[in-house]
């Protein structure tokens, strides 16, 4: 005998396919969805349908947006000479939360990761190079991909391809995070922090 | 400026209301839902709609079921003289997984929990008493509510109300879980295990 009724089991199976869901969390969400009043359920369904319908990629920066070009790309107060290249739309929102960066973005929607079968053609690199070739005002590309093997490889690849263009390619500093202890810092981070040490002599 | 486009932010807000969801997990699920192909999306939506349409409560045991009475209640090989009272459909599936119990169930869909505003009328106690009054074959009610203040209070309440009926009311044993060390056992569990110690002299 199935542990739950067929329709409920089917719902649980379907929820288990969502990212970060296991058996327990799928069960919990299934019971929640069953108990939701009709109006809340409709609003929930509608938010998914609407987001899928309205959300597209900005033709300039490839970030998710309802309007094209996106609010950041169409903001005249932003500095168009700097493009910060990130892996995901989440990273854009993290940068924006910081209120320190006034340039533009380019969202790769992934990184070069041959092990997971993600090649250079699966991320928006072609759109980036196309954008750079059409826009001579860009002076610097900040590679803000994650500090991972894949993120570093992608950054290196871009820097090599752009070297004839004269555009400056930079990478976010790697080192010890604020508030961290040397004792608890992993070897790679410490090695990077040592390699990238800065002069503070006055 | 909103951190995401309006429709995407609306989806994230809507996902944040789900149980166990925070900002990060809601973002992750939102991006997943945006990227899902149309056919998978339809199957996902359909599993929710179908489960909500088909799932009802069994008129006997109140467990979720597609057919009424549910497969357990309509199984003639089950022992109808014992009813195991649990808080949720999840508990039924846990008992069934064990393959040790052959009686019937009654699902309360909650416990008496006045602090959260859940009174005796909000759980299926009336249906339980109604069921017991109509079925003289029931000899024992096992109160398998959780080992919490609320679960114990509900068990005690049922046992008091059933005392004139002559039906035996039992409670799952409380004690140290298998494989546990005394050193790491909390005081309440240890006190319960001591109180409920069993004679093993031969």
């Amino acid at each position: 005998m199935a542990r739950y009724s067929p329709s409920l089991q089917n719902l649980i199976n379907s929820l288990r396919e969502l990212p970060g869901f296991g058996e327990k969390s799928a069960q919990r969400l299934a019971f929640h969805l069953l108990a939701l009043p009709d109006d809340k359920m409709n609003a929930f369904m509608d938010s998914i349908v609407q987001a899928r319908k309205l959300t597209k990629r900005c033709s300039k920066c490839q970030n998710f947006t309802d309007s094209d070009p996106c609010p950041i790309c169409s903001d005249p107060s932003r500095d168009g000479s700097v493009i910060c290249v990130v892996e995901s739309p989440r990273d854009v929102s993290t940068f924006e939360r910081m209120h320190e960066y006034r340039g533009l973005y380019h969202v790769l929607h992934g990184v070069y990761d041959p092990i997971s079968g993600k090649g250079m053609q699966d991320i928006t690199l072609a759109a980036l190079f196309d954008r750079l070739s059409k826009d001579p005002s860009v002076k610097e590309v900040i590679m803000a991909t994650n500090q991972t093997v894949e993120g570093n490889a992608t950054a290196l690849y871009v820097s090599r391809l752009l070297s004839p263009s004269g555009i400056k390619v930079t990478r976010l500093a790697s080192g010890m995070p604020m508030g961290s202890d040397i004792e608890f810092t992993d070897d790679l981070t410490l090695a990077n922090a040592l390699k990238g040490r800065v002069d503070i002599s006055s």
Side-chain angles (χ1 to χ4, degrees), chain A:
Chain A
M1 201 192 78
R3 287 176 51 197
Y4 292 106
S5 64
S7 67
L8 181 53
Q9 191 61 53
N10 183 43
L11 173 57
I12 292 172
N13 294 345
S14 150
L15 293 173
R16 279 208 61 171
E17 288 176 20
L18 299 177
F21 272 77
E23 182 70 22
K24 290 267 172 195
S25 43
Q27 283 177 19
R28 185 156 69 142
L29 185 52
F31 288 125
H32 175 83
L33 291 176
L34 282 184
L36 222 54
D38 277 344
D39 56 334
K40 288 217 168 180
M41 191 66 214
N42 290 339
F44 173 70
M45 291 287 208
D46 201 50
S47 69
I48 300 179
V49 171
Q50 286 300 316
R52 281 173 64 89
K53 203 168 73 182
L54 296 177
T55 306
K56 44 188 166 294
R57 288 186 183 183
C58 170
S59 57
K60 271 189 86 176
C61 73
Q62 309 295 326
N63 195 7
F64 286 137
T65 177
D66 288 1
S67 52
D68 187 18
C70 75
I72 295 176
C73 284
S74 48
D75 182 347
S77 77
R78 309 280 308 208
D79 177 4
S81 72
V82 194
I83 292 182
C84 179
V85 178
V86 294
E87 294 184 17
S88 94
R90 253 167 297 195
D91 301 333
V92 173
S93 82
T94 307
F95 267 92
E96 288 299 290
R97 204 177 50 203
M98 181 181 61
H99 294 294
E100 287 282 340
Y101 179 68
R102 297 300 303 160
L104 301 179
Y105 295 96
H106 190 87
V107 180
L108 293 177
H109 290 283
V111 273
Y112 173 60
D113 183 6
I115 294 171
S116 319
K118 221 162 178 148
M120 292 298 181
Q121 71 285 356
D122 296 316
I123 57 180
T124 65
L125 275 181
L128 173 65
F129 295 137
D130 184 55
R131 181 179 171 190
L132 292 174
S133 70
K134 283 178 185 154
D135 186 354
S137 65
V138 178
K139 302 282 171 265
E140 180 178 359
V141 168
I142 304 172
M143 291 304 295
T145 47
N146 292 335
Q147 291 286 359
T148 56
V149 174
E150 295 80 15
N152 285 331
T154 309
L156 206 64
Y157 179 81
V158 171
S159 105
R160 290 215 178 133
L161 253 77
L162 288 183
S163 75
S165 71
I167 297 173
K168 189 164 131 194
V169 181
T170 55
R171 180 102 178 95
L172 289 188
S174 165
M176 292 179 56
M178 291 299 289
S180 62
D181 289 354
I182 290 191
E183 183 183 356
F184 303 117
T185 306
D186 67 282
D187 295 355
L188 256 176
T189 303
L190 202 56
N192 273 341
L194 183 65
K195 221 188 300 171
R197 65 191 180 277
V198 291
D199 188 357
I200 55 165
S201 49
S202 55

